[in-house]
Each structure stands twice: as structure tokens, then as C-alpha cells.
Amino acid sequence: MSKLFSKDNKHVFTNPLNLDNPILVQVLGICSALAVTSQLKPAIVMGLAVTVITAFSNVIISIIRKTIPNRIRIIVQLVVVAALVTIVSQILKAFVYDVSVQLSVYVGLIITNCILMGRLEAFAMTNKPWSSFLDGLGNGLGYAYILVLVGAVRELLGRGSILGWQVIPNGVYEAGYLNNGMMTMPAMALILLGCVIWVHRAYFLKEK
């Protein structure tokens, strides 16, 4: 049990949440981050979908890594990811159909997500299943919480609600407050994401 939660494994899991965050540090996967964060609910679902697929594809590739011929390893990785994406897509359509419609083609495009393919090639192909699972889980959650943060801000300022529930009181609107319609546009997602990256890097540069 101590080996499962060793210092190295903890580092593998926690590093992508902060110091090596796939969006904030590596600037990967930002296309979907800009496209699905106009509301919080699809941002949460997209983040969870990427987390699950990244974690389990890492495990599968790690298990079979020694049997994969080097010349077709990318093809094998794509097949594994495509199978998991198809399963997740069908589950979303079965249980949260309205969100799957909002996410549109972006669930399918997880297949080409830079974060996912990068972890398979850089980590799962050379490490054991448990550490690969932690790496996939950490990178997925690191991606997900940025989506949730941006989605929450955009929905609050753009629609005055969180998860569809009105947060800003009617009295505020009666006093003259107006929702910021620009927050619902992809351009504002890029600006918000840039601000988050700036704050993150400024803070950690100061710490160093």
C-alpha cells in the first residue's frame, strides 16, 4: 500500500494540478477550453469526460505497451482512445442528452486532444499502470478545474447564474445592472484564460 501512495506517485498526481498544469503551463487543449466554457455544466461534463478517458487510456496503453510494435504505436493509441471516447459519448447521450448536444463535436474531438495523446506517448508508454493512472487522473483534473473556473466566471457574469440557477438578485438588475453579453463569446474565454495563466505564472515566478 505504501508503494501505491509513495512520494513519487504523489508527485505524478499532484504536479499536473499546479506546477505542470496542461493548460496553464503547457498551454495544451485550449481549443475545447474556449469552446465549452460559456456555461458551467458543459464545462464540468467535458472536464470529467477528459479525465476519465485520459486516466483509463493511460492504464490500457501502459498494460499493453510491451506488446505494441513501435512503428504502429500511435495507431494503437488512437484506437484505444477512440473506443473510450465512443463509450463516453454514448453514456452522455443516454444520461445527459442536453449537455451532449451543447458539447456537440467536442466530445469526439477528445480523440485528438493534445493533453491525452501527449500523456500516452510521454508517460504511459514507459511507466507502470498505477503510476500511469495517476498521471492521467492528475492531468485530467488539472484540465478540468481550469474549465470549471472559466465556465463559472463566464456564466455568472454573462448570464447572472450558476448551473442555471440565478445568483445575481433581481434587485441588482432593477438598479441598472446588465449581464455582460461578451462573456458568452469565445473571445472572452481566451481573455479570461490568458488572465488565469498570467496570474498563475506571476505567482509561481515570485515564489521561485
Side-chain angles (χ1 to χ4, degrees):
M1 182 63 71
S2 60
K3 290 184 179 179
L4 292 178
F5 299 99
S6 65
K7 184 178 180 180
D8 288 340
N9 283 338
K10 289 179 181 177
H11 177 75
V12 166
F13 174 71
T14 58
N15 205 45
L17 299 177
N18 195 355
L19 294 176
D20 200 22
N21 187 280
I23 293 182
L24 299 182
V25 179
Q26 302 174 46
V27 197
L28 298 175
I30 63 170
C31 294
S32 56
L34 303 181
V36 303
T37 54
S38 60
Q39 295 184 59
L40 181 56
K41 190 174 180 180
I44 292 173
V45 173
M46 185 68 173
L48 290 176
V50 170
T51 300
V52 170
I53 293 169
T54 305
F56 284 98
S57 61
N58 262 19
V59 171
I60 294 171
I61 292 298
S62 177
I63 291 172
I64 65 174
R65 71 188 189 280
K66 294 182 180 179
T67 64
I68 303 174
N70 188 59
R71 65 184 180 276
I72 63 168
R73 70 187 189 283
I74 300 297
I75 297 174
V76 174
Q77 292 169 13
L78 285 172
V79 169
V80 170
V81 173
L84 291 173
V85 168
T86 301
I87 293 171
V88 169
S89 178
Q90 294 304 311
I91 292 173
L92 292 179
K93 289 178 180 178
F95 294 101
V96 281
Y97 182 75
D98 58 328
V99 178
S100 71
V101 172
Q102 284 181 281
L103 293 176
S104 183
V105 298
Y106 294 102
V107 174
L109 289 176
I110 292 174
I111 296 171
T112 59
N113 192 298
C114 304
I115 300 169
L116 200 153
M117 296 305 298
R119 298 326 298 164
L120 293 178
E121 184 69 10
F123 197 92
M125 286 295 292
T126 56
N127 289 275
K128 294 181 178 180
W130 175 245
S131 56
S132 295
F133 174 76
L134 292 177
D135 177 78
L137 189 63
N139 277 276
L141 291 175
Y143 167 87
Y145 86 78
I146 300 301
L147 260 66
V148 169
L149 175 63
V150 175
V153 172
R154 291 182 68 191
E155 183 175 354
L156 177 62
L157 299 181
R159 292 179 168 85
S161 62
I162 293 290
L163 292 174
W165 295 90
Q166 184 174 339
V167 174
I168 299 177
N170 288 327
V172 176
Y173 290 105
E174 293 171 0
Y177 176 80
L178 295 174
N179 290 328
N180 187 343
M182 287 188 65
M183 281 292 173
T184 62
M185 301 173 63
M188 283 308 299
L190 182 61
I191 293 172
L192 281 175
L193 191 58
C195 291
V196 174
I197 292 173
W198 170 55
V199 170
H200 179 268
R201 294 190 178 189
Y203 174 77
F204 283 100
L205 283 175
K206 186 181 292 185
E207 287 294 307
K208 289 178 182 179

